[in-house]
Amino acid sequence: MRRLACLLPFFALACDDDAAPGSLGVFVYGEEFIEEEIPADVFADGWRVDFAEFLVAVSDVAVGTGATPALSSDTTYILNLAQASGDGHALISGDVPGGRYDDTSFSIAPASGAVAANATAEQVAFMNDNGLSIFVTGRASKDGVEKTFAWRFNSTTNYRACESTAKVDGGTERTVLTIHADHLFYDSLVSEEPDVRFQLFADADADGNHAITLDELAAVDITGLANYQVGNATDVTDLAAFVVAQTATLGHIDGEGHCQTQ
C-alpha cells in the first residue's frame, strides 16, 4: 500500500517506500537566549540581556520536499517567544506521508489579521494595529548599570529552502523554526564569525534616561567604525538601520540549519 500511495502526485514529493505515514508538527523556538537570557559570557563586552517580550509575526509556513508542501498554513500567527516553552511553541500540525521533510519555508512580516499562537489578545492587537513583524522589550545590564529597550520593527523577511531535518516514519516528528536573538547584537553584517556586543547600544542613550530608543540608535553613525561592517549594504549607515538589517538574520531551522532569505 505504501508503494501505491507514492505514485499519487500529492505524496510523491515526500514519500519514501520504506517510511510509514505519521504526524508532523511545526514549532517556533527562541531557545534559552530568549526564554531565559543572553548571558554575559556570550557578549564580547560583558553585557547581558534578558527579554520581557519577544513578539514575532510568523506566516506562510510550508513544509515539504518541493513545490507542493505536505503541510502548510497561510495564517499569520503572533508568538511571544519570551514565554517559557521547554522546546518550542506549537504552530501547526497534521498527518503526512512517510519520508523526509527537508524543505521548509516561512515569513516574518508585518502583521495584519494575525491570530494568536501563544500571545495574548492584547499582544495580537498591538502587532496588528501597528503592522509589526517583530517587537522586543528587555533590559541589558553590566557592572550595576541597566539599560532598557522597546523596539518595533516592520521589516519583512521570507525564509525559503530551509534545510529542515524531519523524517516521518510513523509516530510524530517535529520541524522547528528557530529564532536567534543574539543576532540582533552582532557587530557585522558580513563576517562569518561576528562578535555579540552591546556597548555601542548603551552609549547611544544620549539623554541618559537608561531607555535606548530606535531614534537614539539612528543618531549613531557607524560608517567610520572598525566593526559594524555592512559590505554591499551601503545604505546602512546608522545603528538603527544596522539592527533592522540584522532582523533578516534571525530565522533558522531546527537549531542551526540555514535558510535562503528574500
Side-chain angles (χ1 to χ4, degrees):
M1 292 297 294
R2 295 181 202 159
R3 187 175 300 277
L4 290 174
C6 290
L7 297 177
L8 297 176
F10 174 79
F11 292 100
L13 293 170
C15 196
D16 183 328
D17 287 349
D18 298 322
S23 177
L24 181 63
V26 178
F27 293 74
V28 187
Y29 187 29
E31 302 180 309
E32 291 86 353
F33 281 178
I34 297 179
E35 294 190 4
E36 298 176 12
E37 68 171 7
I38 308 177
D41 60 7
V42 171
F43 284 89
D45 49 19
W47 287 83
R48 58 175 290 275
V49 166
D50 63 270
F51 296 96
E53 289 180 293
F54 200 111
L55 307 183
V56 293
V58 177
S59 59
D60 299 323
V61 177
V63 186
T65 60
T68 303
L71 182 65
S72 65
S73 173
D74 58 5
T75 301
T76 299
Y77 298 93
I78 305 298
L79 299 106
N80 179 14
L81 300 182
Q83 187 179 99
S85 70
D87 56 2
H89 301 280
L91 202 61
I92 61 174
S93 63
D95 295 331
V96 297
R100 292 190 178 277
Y101 289 87
D102 56 5
D103 188 341
T104 296
S105 62
F106 64 100
S107 296
I108 296 179
S112 176
V115 301
N118 73 315
T120 66
E122 291 77 10
Q123 289 169 333
V124 173
F126 173 75
M127 296 290 280
N128 280 328
D129 291 348
N130 292 282
L132 301 180
S133 53
I134 302 168
F135 176 64
V136 298
T137 68
R139 60 181 179 176
S141 57
K142 178 184 176 182
D143 298 334
V145 176
E146 184 172 292
K147 303 287 186 179
T148 64
F149 53 87
W151 298 334
R152 305 182 183 191
F153 301 100
N154 60 5
S155 51
T156 297
T157 308
N158 300 312
Y159 296 92
R160 300 293 181 256
C162 299
E163 299 168 352
S164 44
T165 59
K167 182 178 181 180
V168 173
D169 189 8
T172 300
E173 292 295 326
R174 295 161 48 92
T175 292
V176 182
L177 317 181
T178 313
I179 307 301
H180 289 180
D182 57 323
H183 291 201
L184 287 174
F185 307 109
Y186 273 0
D187 69 347
S188 175
L189 294 179
V190 294
S191 173
E192 293 185 1
E193 296 183 355
D195 285 328
V196 183
R197 297 181 183 274
F198 194 84
Q199 190 61 53
L200 194 63
F201 293 85
D203 294 342
D205 180 21
D207 59 10
N209 70 348
H210 299 282
I212 304 166
T213 68
L214 285 177
D215 285 342
E216 287 176 319
L217 298 186
V220 178
D221 183 356
I222 63 172
T223 57
L225 300 180
N227 49 2
Y228 294 91
Q229 296 301 300
V230 299
N232 293 328
T234 54
D235 57 329
V236 178
T237 60
D238 62 73
L239 190 53
F242 187 87
V243 177
V244 171
Q246 290 290 16
T247 65
T249 74
L250 300 183
H252 285 251
I253 193 75
D254 295 330
E256 299 295 331
H258 291 286
C259 304
Q260 299 175 12
T261 57
Q262 302 171 352

